[in-house]
Amino acid sequence: MDKLVIEGGKPLSGTIVIQGAKNAALPILAASLLAEGTTTIDHVPNLLDIDVMLNILRELGCRAEHTGGTVVLNTETAHTSHVPESLMRQMRSSIFLMGPLLARFGETQVYQPGGCAIGERKIDLHLQGLQALGAEIEELGNRIICRAEKLRGADIHLSFPSVGATENIMMAAALAEGRTTISNAAREPEIQDLQCFLNAMGAKIMGAGTDTITIDGVQSLTPCRYKVIPDRIVAGTIMVAAAATRGQVTLQNTKPAHLSSLIHVLRRAGVQIVVDGDIIKVGNATRPKAVERIVTSPYPAFPTDLQSQVMVLLTLADGVSILKETIFEGRLKHVDELSRMGADIRVDMNAAIIRGVPRLYGATVEATDLRAGAALVIAGLAAQGKTVVEQIHHIDRGYDRIETMLSRLGARISRYLPVPNN
Ligand code: UD1
């Protein structure tokens, strides 16, 4: 398995252009199935999760090419709506295919994407939403068969604003007969991006970004060309890395409005942030201040996907901070790894109580999931001495060559490939 080796203690400095958003690109790729023909999507990052989604689309019969950040996807040749279990298991986001496949083929067969390192991650809201649109769902062990001769618009209230369920329902409802209303919908920017993409294909969707989304079903959709929004979580990761290493970094191609909860937290920690159009400048020369209480919650509140990265900054802060995780029950696994680097963190239920220390020390640590892995990289950059981060395939799911990105900002970081034994 590849590893990252980091010589810490060097402030990050320079300018970086932020990649396209994984969490916007994945549902958009799935939604392309709704229109027969060739769709072109720009600003698609080079990531393991994107490779998995493109492999699934190829398995369904589509033709897909990903070069220089652009995906050209011909969905005309798609001939099956059955997603193989081995591919479903590689990525939870494969569940996004249910809505589009059901709308296009009238039936789909998928598998439970299973639990994952950060928690149980149920799909009941996805299934209830599709059922409300008229789908019959049969669960045979891990296998889920979903059929609907005709999808019909419905009023759907989500008991929790699930991002994936909101997106799945939007995609299925785009081709349903009549009006669908989703209340208590998730409000994440990636949902607005999906709405813009579907509308560019001819859908009639309003309200994404608010908690009520209205979808007036249309008969058919037409392929289009579309550019994915910048990745707010990658931008946030770099912002925290700049602050934790007491560096000066300029981020280009950002949407600062999507990062307002992080900007607020970083400013409370004493980090200097200047916003100018789509540019964010982050600078920090002194020890960060503790932040009394941060709670992860659905957008626009503080994102769970930045919880582990911000925790690293707080381990170095002056004072005691509390960081509470409310979205995923298993998302504090990085605490043990950070403790091995000298952090002083106590976990009480779903809250981490972080007593800042003057410095972290390099160690060999293991990425337990995507964002926890990014957090350990930040810790390694800020720490004194050498850090080895193992299990970095998790990081490759969401960051396009993280070591290249950080090296450009002056970090001493390299990837080591396993030596073949023969
Ligand atoms: C998306 C993001 C992920 C982010 C998460 C929360 C993508 C590809 N991934 O994941 O990076 O961490 O939003 O912001 O966009 N839940 C149920 N039943 C369901 C669906 C969800 O109980 O049917 C629960 C989950 O177990 C979890 C919570 O709702 O506790 C949030 O999940 P959800 O918003 O659906 O996250 P994802 O769409 O999986």
Side-chain angles (χ1 to χ4, degrees):
M1 285 290 182
D2 297 9
K3 305 171 184 184
L4 290 172
V5 178
I6 306 162
E7 281 294 337
K10 187 148 186 273
L12 292 187
S13 125
T15 298
I16 186 161
V17 181
I18 298 302
Q19 69 185 51
K22 164 179 93 74
N23 288 354
L26 288 170
I28 284 174
L29 287 170
S32 303
L33 277 167
L34 292 166
E36 285 185 43
T38 301
T39 287
T40 303
I41 305 162
D42 296 308
H43 218 209
V44 179
N46 257 309
L47 305 171
L48 273 185
D49 275 9
I50 297 290
D51 292 345
V52 174
M53 180 58 90
L54 293 177
N55 282 339
I56 297 177
L57 290 165
R58 289 185 188 109
E59 188 74 24
L60 299 173
C62 300
R63 286 199 296 267
E65 269 178 47
H66 187 187
T67 32
T70 295
V71 169
V72 179
L73 183 64
N74 185 339
T75 63
E76 218 158 9
T77 44
H79 52 71
T80 172
S81 59
H82 293 199
V83 183
E85 185 169 15
S86 56
L87 287 171
M88 278 299 291
R89 289 206 157 269
Q90 286 181 28
M91 180 180 64
R92 183 184 154 84
S93 304
S94 49
I95 201 70
F96 292 141
L97 289 155
M98 273 189 100
L101 286 172
L102 184 63
R104 173 147 169 197
F105 291 98
E107 66 102 51
T108 176
Q109 181 178 297
V110 300
Y111 291 83
Q112 283 282 354
C116 72
I118 60 173
E120 189 187 6
R121 302 190 83 170
K122 291 186 287 190
I123 58 164
D124 53 329
L125 301 173
H126 297 244
L127 300 183
Q128 285 163 20
L130 297 178
Q131 260 167 337
L133 295 174
E136 276 176 32
I137 294 176
E138 205 181 337
E139 292 189 64
L140 301 167
N142 264 345
R143 190 148 60 106
I144 305 168
I145 302 162
C146 194
R147 291 189 195 89
E149 254 172 51
K150 189 137 206 67
L151 290 168
R152 291 205 168 78
D155 288 339
I156 300 170
H157 178 82
L158 294 177
S159 56
F160 179 87
S162 153
V163 176
T166 303
E167 292 170 337
N168 233 335
I169 297 166
M170 281 166 76
M171 294 188 274
L175 289 180
E177 191 180 277
R179 172 170 285 196
T180 297
T181 307
I182 311 173
S183 54
N184 199 29
R187 293 187 276 166
E188 270 68 3
E190 294 75 21
I191 291 170
Q192 295 182 48
D193 210 31
L194 179 63
Q195 169 177 288
C196 287
F197 173 68
L198 289 167
N199 285 348
M201 293 203 297
K204 292 199 173 130
I205 309 179
M206 286 183 319
T210 74
D211 64 2
T212 307
I213 301 177
T214 308
I215 304 126
D216 282 316
V218 295
Q219 295 249 312
S220 63
L221 296 172
T222 341
C224 68
R225 183 163 194 157
Y226 191 77
K227 184 175 171 197
V228 172
I229 53 168
D231 196 310
R232 65 194 165 100
I233 306 301
V234 172
T237 302
I238 298 291
M239 288 166 72
V240 177
T245 58
R246 303 194 191 173
Q248 286 276 353
V249 172
T250 300
L251 294 91
Q252 294 177 342
N253 186 43
T254 69
K255 290 226 183 269
H258 296 171
L259 284 155
S260 48
S261 62
L262 175 70
I263 292 174
H264 180 64
V265 162
L266 290 179
R267 284 188 173 142
R268 278 164 69 201
V271 178
Q272 302 290 315
I273 297 183
V274 178
V275 172
D276 179 10
D278 73 348
I279 292 174
I280 302 176
K281 292 185 180 174
V282 185
N284 185 33
T286 53
R287 187 171 180 192
K289 291 187 280 199
V291 181
E292 209 177 297
R293 192 178 146 81
I294 304 169
V295 181
T296 66
S297 283
Y299 190 85
F302 190 82
T304 175
D305 284 354
L306 286 172
Q307 176 256 108
S308 52
Q309 299 90 317
V310 162
M311 189 182 293
V312 176
L313 184 71
L314 299 177
T315 64
L316 292 164
D318 186 8
V320 177
S321 309
I322 296 180
L323 188 41
K324 197 168 170 191
E325 170 62 51
T326 73
I327 306 291
F328 294 112
E329 72 271 23
R331 212 170 200 185
L332 291 173
K333 294 203 176 111
H334 42 282
V335 166
D336 287 346
E337 302 303 295
L338 291 173
S339 302
R340 290 153 61 80
M341 298 179 74
D344 181 352
I345 308 169
R346 183 166 63 81
V347 173
D348 181 8
M349 311 281 281
N350 61 347
I353 298 117
I354 306 149
R355 192 174 295 277
V357 291
R359 64 182 55 83
L360 296 173
Y361 297 93
T364 296
V365 288
E366 192 178 304
T368 47
D369 70 72
L370 164 56
R371 307 302 172 188
L376 295 175
V377 171
I378 298 174
L381 295 171
Q384 185 176 312
K386 180 166 126 180
T387 294
V388 179
V389 184
E390 299 182 331
Q391 302 294 333
I392 59 169
H393 57 279
H394 289 296
I395 302 176
D396 293 336
R397 287 187 38 225
Y399 296 83
D400 185 356
R401 301 297 290 194
I402 195 166
E403 70 280 15
T404 309
M405 190 161 78
L406 292 167
S407 298
R408 285 197 191 120
L409 296 175
R412 293 171 295 202
I413 177 169
S414 331
R415 178 180 293 249
Y416 281 85
L417 307 170
V419 181
N421 42 10
N422 56 354

